[in-house]
Amino acid sequence: MSKSPVVQSVEKANTDYAANFGEKGKLPLPPGRHFTVLTCMDARLDPAKYAGLSGGDAHVIRNAGGRASDDAIRSPVISYKLLGTKEFFVIHHTDCRMVLFNNKIMGDLLSKSLEQAVVDENGWRDVGQEPGSPEGAKIDWLTFTDDRQDVIDDVKKIRNHPLIPKSIPVYGYLHDVKTGKLEEIKEAAEIGKAA
Amino acid sequence: MSKSPVVQSVEKANTDYAANFGEKGKLPLPPGRHFTVLTCMDARLDPAKYAGLSGGDAHVIRNAGGRASDDAIRSPVISYKLLGTKEFFVIHHTDCRMVLFNNKIMGDLLSKSLEQAVVDENGWRDVGQEPGSPEGAKIDWLTFTDDRQDVIDDVKKIRNHPLIPKSIPVYGYLHDVKTGKLEEIKEAAEIGKAA
């Protein structure tokens, strides 16, 4: 089977990247700047660029919403415990799709069809023909309604987790997708400060 | 309280980034190239570079190991269902720390201390004074022993998940941290192909 245009373009980009890999092949495994960023999977975000990361600098954890899910606790614990990071950043962003649905909407949409849903001023609707699944109703989709409060909530969750040392500061920021700016969320910083 | 050197450098880098943000503030929310990458948090990896992503191109999900954890199912389901992605890449890498421990080792280390552990030819040991926590023994750390088999396992898990449409191909690759090259894992490609 021939490769899709996306696969071909990714493989071509990688060939070019590897051809100019240079000294990057000698980077040590532990993050050189000893910190970890938890942020959203959003396609507009490039944490290496918005936070100034070079290869080998920092761990980057990304998921839908940049949420401190159970798995987003597993990863920073490995990050500090086995790889020596000492500061954590939680960085959410404006205009996140996570505010535009909730568990009820997502469970209903997935029960009707596994194809893409569309959204307009009348809300979400399914247009696909592929059958749905009841499994979507069993998942907590970790949506939120306020992008600042959500940063505070996630910093609090990490700060209070029994496996996160009190010596590690947890910072909270909101990335503005219109300007590229990181705004420090002061209340999160207060909650997340190291003891 | 004054800001740490890391925070100062991140904020400085962001100020420079935002000053040259240009047209990036107008990028649409849905990924323009309609695909999603699941990869490791490792500091040496820059998915935007190794896969040739520009701003707005693709969703990027990252965690310790690039594993298809329950949360790494939540995110791609949101990615295709609400944001229209149509192809998934699972990209692990060589020299991953996840092969150097297991649930027993991690549970034991965390029960002794929440500070960084060190590893040498005699294995892992705790050097910190901060007390530990029994919570670490309750978590599945999603370690693995073979970096190719692990790609296959994660592609299989995504392929067989009831909320992932059979129309979405799931590709598996291994990124070589010494060369920057992506190696397609053929067995994963076979398992992950679209129906």
Side-chain angles (χ1 to χ4, degrees):
Chain A
M1 202 179 71
S2 65
K3 290 180 173 177
S4 79
V6 160
V7 170
Q8 290 179 46
S9 65
V10 166
E11 292 190 350
K12 171 69 171 66
N14 180 254
T15 300
D16 295 344
Y17 174 67
N20 298 290
F21 204 57
E23 298 295 301
K24 288 196 282 294
K26 296 175 184 167
L27 286 170
L29 198 164
R33 289 170 65 202
H34 310 293
F35 68 95
T36 300
V37 175
L38 168 62
T39 195
C40 185
M41 69 177 178
D42 191 285
R44 295 166 294 180
L45 305 189
D46 187 337
K49 289 184 179 162
Y50 76 52
L53 310 181
S54 294
D57 273 356
H59 283 146
V60 180
I61 302 160
R62 302 180 66 173
N63 63 47
R67 301 307 313 271
S69 59
D70 289 342
D71 197 58
I73 294 291
R74 176 183 73 87
S75 297
V77 172
I78 291 171
S79 174
Y80 87 77
K81 181 70 185 172
L82 305 184
L83 289 154
T85 56
K86 300 176 194 309
E87 296 170 78
F88 294 164
F89 291 75
V90 174
I91 305 181
H92 294 180
H93 65 95
T94 59
D95 190 35
C96 189
R97 180 122 312 177
M98 299 293 283
V99 303
L100 219 58
F101 66 106
N102 56 34
N103 283 344
K104 171 77 168 62
I105 290 171
M106 191 62 166
D108 286 352
L109 285 172
L110 287 164
S111 73
K112 287 182 194 139
S113 167
L114 293 190
E115 287 180 62
Q116 186 189 0
V118 295
V119 66
D120 60 22
E121 64 278 11
N122 298 314
W124 290 95
R125 65 179 194 282
D126 265 301
V127 290
Q129 301 301 311
E130 187 157 359
S133 163
E135 294 297 316
K138 302 174 187 169
I139 292 178
D140 184 349
W141 297 94
L142 305 179
T143 61
F144 53 88
T145 55
D146 180 316
D147 50 23
R148 280 182 178 73
Q149 186 57 46
D150 189 54
V151 171
I152 296 167
D153 292 346
D154 279 357
V155 166
K156 190 182 291 182
K157 180 167 175 183
I158 295 171
R159 173 75 297 150
N160 292 336
H161 195 281
L163 291 174
I164 304 289
K166 302 304 177 209
S167 57
I168 293 182
V170 187
Y171 314 116
Y173 286 81
L174 188 68
H175 176 273
D176 187 325
V177 296
K178 298 287 184 219
T179 65
K181 287 183 188 165
L182 292 178
E183 177 200 346
E184 185 183 21
I185 307 296
K186 305 283 184 194
E187 193 177 340
E190 187 60 30
I191 290 167
K193 69 183 178 186
Chain B
M1 201 179 72
S2 66
K3 291 180 173 177
S4 80
V6 160
V7 170
Q8 290 179 46
S9 64
V10 165
E11 292 191 348
K12 171 69 171 65
N14 179 254
T15 299
D16 295 345
Y17 174 68
N20 299 290
F21 203 58
E23 297 296 302
K24 288 196 284 292
K26 297 175 185 167
L27 287 171
L29 197 164
R33 288 171 66 203
H34 310 293
F35 67 96
T36 301
V37 175
L38 168 62
T39 196
C40 185
M41 68 177 179
D42 191 285
R44 295 164 296 180
L45 305 188
D46 188 336
K49 289 185 179 161
Y50 76 53
L53 309 181
S54 294
D57 272 356
H59 282 146
V60 180
I61 301 161
R62 301 181 66 173
N63 63 46
R67 301 307 314 270
S69 59
D70 289 342
D71 197 59
I73 294 291
R74 175 182 74 88
S75 297
V77 171
I78 291 170
S79 174
Y80 87 76
K81 180 72 185 172
L82 305 184
L83 289 155
T85 56
K86 300 176 194 311
E87 296 171 77
F88 293 164
F89 291 75
V90 174
I91 305 182
H92 293 180
H93 65 96
T94 59
D95 190 34
C96 189
R97 179 124 311 177
M98 298 294 282
V99 304
L100 219 57
F101 67 104
N102 56 34
N103 284 344
K104 172 77 167 63
I105 290 171
M106 191 62 165
D108 286 352
L109 286 172
L110 287 164
S111 73
K112 287 182 195 139
S113 167
L114 294 189
E115 287 180 61
Q116 187 188 0
V118 294
V119 65
D120 60 22
E121 64 278 10
N122 298 313
W124 289 96
R125 66 194 148 79
D126 265 300
V127 291
Q129 301 301 312
E130 188 157 357
S133 164
E135 294 297 315
K138 302 175 187 170
I139 292 177
D140 184 350
W141 297 94
L142 303 179
T143 61
F144 53 90
T145 55
D146 179 315
D147 49 24
R148 280 182 178 73
Q149 185 58 47
D150 189 54
V151 171
I152 296 166
D153 292 346
D154 279 357
V155 165
K156 190 181 291 181
K157 180 166 177 184
I158 295 171
R159 172 75 297 151
N160 294 335
H161 195 281
L163 290 174
I164 304 289
K166 302 305 177 206
S167 58
I168 294 183
V170 187
Y171 314 117
Y173 286 82
L174 189 67
H175 176 273
D176 187 326
V177 296
K178 298 288 185 218
T179 66
K181 286 183 188 165
L182 292 178
E183 177 199 347
E184 186 183 20
I185 307 296
K186 305 284 182 195
E187 193 177 339
E190 188 58 30
I191 290 167
K193 69 183 179 187

